Amino acid sequence: MHRRLFLSTLVGLTVATAASGCAAPTDSSDPGTDVPVTASHDAAFPAVVTHRYGTTTVPQAPQRIVALGQTDHDAVIALGSTPIALSGFIGSSYSPLRPWNKHAFTAEPPVLNMLEIEFEKLAALGPDLIFAVMSGVTKADYAKLSAIAPTVAQPLDYQD
């Protein structure tokens, strides 16, 4: 699995996150074979992502990603990483774990309050990347989050 392909997607779309890996592309010249294409994932770092509040530099491949937006964990999981925490509606029957994403977790991950960011609880998790694309974070929230870890916020050209 290659972080480089993921980061190409990340920068190209400006709305994804640097994850610890993604599916390896294959050589499609022979439909009967699946030959992984290899490349050094280290060459993709540092990665720079532009978003609503500026740019975020991800200095190295993150290992401890917090998915703060409502569906941000789906993108992280689809690209081969497992978030260390998710966000959700605390005190309701809503669960961010769904049939398409719960396979990624060996145990139920911590769920942070989606409606009110728990900065201290989030910081205690020791993330090395906060993915907050679908979270609706404000500029003040972003400043607090980016003091904890590199944070990727909403894309510049789209509404929350």
Side-chain angles (χ1 to χ4, degrees):
M1 298 200 312
H2 300 285
R3 291 178 189 100
R4 182 178 178 160
L5 176 61
F6 165 67
L7 287 171
S8 297
T9 302
L10 168 92
V11 173
L13 297 176
T14 317
V15 294
T17 184
S20 65
C22 65
T26 60
D27 179 355
S28 60
S29 62
D30 180 358
T33 65
D34 283 334
V35 179
V37 176
T38 59
S40 171
H41 67 275
D42 294 330
F45 293 95
V48 178
V49 182
T50 302
H51 52 78
R52 179 173 297 170
Y53 302 121
T55 60
T56 296
T57 300
V58 182
Q60 59 192 20
Q63 303 299 311
R64 299 184 55 79
I65 302 169
V66 170
L68 198 55
Q70 183 173 5
T71 58
D72 289 348
H73 58 285
D74 286 336
V76 173
I77 292 166
L79 293 165
S81 189
T82 301
I84 61 168
L86 316 174
S87 62
F89 298 110
I90 304 299
S92 74
S93 60
Y94 170 82
S95 171
L97 298 179
R98 298 289 194 222
W100 59 84
N101 63 29
K102 66 182 177 181
H103 71 278
F105 300 94
T106 56
E108 185 143 344
V111 178
L112 304 171
N113 188 343
M114 183 181 298
L115 299 176
E116 186 174 323
I117 300 172
E118 302 168 289
F119 294 101
E120 295 81 17
K121 189 173 182 180
L122 192 152
L125 294 169
D128 57 5
L129 180 67
I130 301 169
F131 189 45
V133 173
M134 295 290 293
S135 67
V137 296
T138 65
K139 189 171 187 172
D141 292 339
Y142 173 78
K144 291 177 186 177
L145 292 170
S146 61
I148 296 168
T151 302
V152 177
Q154 306 93 311
L156 178 64
D157 297 332
Y158 296 91
Q159 294 180 11
D160 292 345

